[in-house]
Amino acid sequence: MLSGPVEIRRVRAQDWPALRALRLEALADTPIAYLETLAQAQQLPDSEWRGRALRGAAAGDSFQVLAWHGDRAFGTCVAFLRDQAAWLAAVYLAPTHRGQDLLAVMVGQCADWARAAGAPVLRLEVHEDNHRAGAAYRRLGFVDSGQRTPYPLAPGGDEVLMERPL
């Protein structure tokens, strides 16, 4: 159990250093979960990280939450609008904070934003070999759509499209 308060809130522009650190942690933890490599992310300039934080913080077609325990960000997810749907991406929860229903809160905030934006469905893609994430998404009500897309960073694997109505 966590001691002390946990805060899950929309990212702010000034959160970019925490966002960068968390993204690098996520890429090292589960490389097949993202469409970017750790090496690629490590090479990005600060201006890119500032831009990512600003996009998630600003009103528009994307929304990002960060989960905090004290002064450490330990979780994140992004929702964005595309093709008359909302998409969930860049989902990460540090191993020390898994299994405590915090993912449900983060995804719930993204779903609330997507619903308010008029999206009828929340979609995501998960690598077929990322069984832990797939199981977590099923617990949150996502179902396999039957659609597959080749994973671009590792030939031979597929991304599974999952969705949940809003």
Side-chain angles (χ1 to χ4, degrees):
M1 289 303 290
L2 299 174
S3 65
V6 168
E7 178 185 22
I8 300 175
R9 61 161 170 81
R10 189 169 195 168
V11 67
R12 298 174 185 148
Q14 65 268 26
D15 292 335
W16 72 267
L19 183 67
R20 179 186 188 278
L22 195 59
R23 179 65 172 194
L24 297 179
E25 178 182 327
L27 290 166
D29 180 72
T30 317
I32 63 169
Y34 307 98
L35 300 178
E36 174 179 54
T37 67
L38 177 59
Q40 290 168 332
Q42 289 171 326
Q43 297 302 313
L44 294 173
D46 289 352
S47 60
E48 173 65 21
W49 296 106
R50 285 185 179 99
R52 289 182 183 195
L54 189 57
R55 278 190 304 277
D61 63 357
S62 68
F63 176 88
Q64 183 168 12
V65 296
L66 281 178
W68 296 85
H69 185 209
D71 62 356
R72 182 193 182 304
F74 65 84
T76 187
C77 61
V78 175
F80 61 92
L81 302 175
R82 183 180 77 201
D83 303 327
Q84 286 82 48
W87 290 79
L88 196 63
V91 178
Y92 179 70
L93 195 58
T96 54
H97 292 75
R98 293 176 187 157
Q100 302 172 51
D101 294 324
L102 297 168
L103 181 63
V105 176
M106 293 189 326
V107 171
Q109 287 188 17
C110 287
D112 289 346
W113 171 84
R115 195 176 298 106
V121 65
L122 184 57
R123 295 183 174 141
L124 61 87
E125 290 183 314
V126 61
H127 194 283
E128 64 187 351
D129 293 336
N130 193 348
H131 304 291
R132 176 178 37 92
Y137 296 135
R138 282 189 296 279
R139 283 191 299 276
L140 295 177
F142 288 87
V143 296
D144 185 338
S145 72
Q147 294 182 17
R148 304 289 183 271
T149 305
Y151 180 64
L153 300 183
D158 283 337
E159 293 276 277
V160 176
L161 177 65
M162 299 181 80
E163 52 191 14
R164 145 181 147 180
L166 294 171

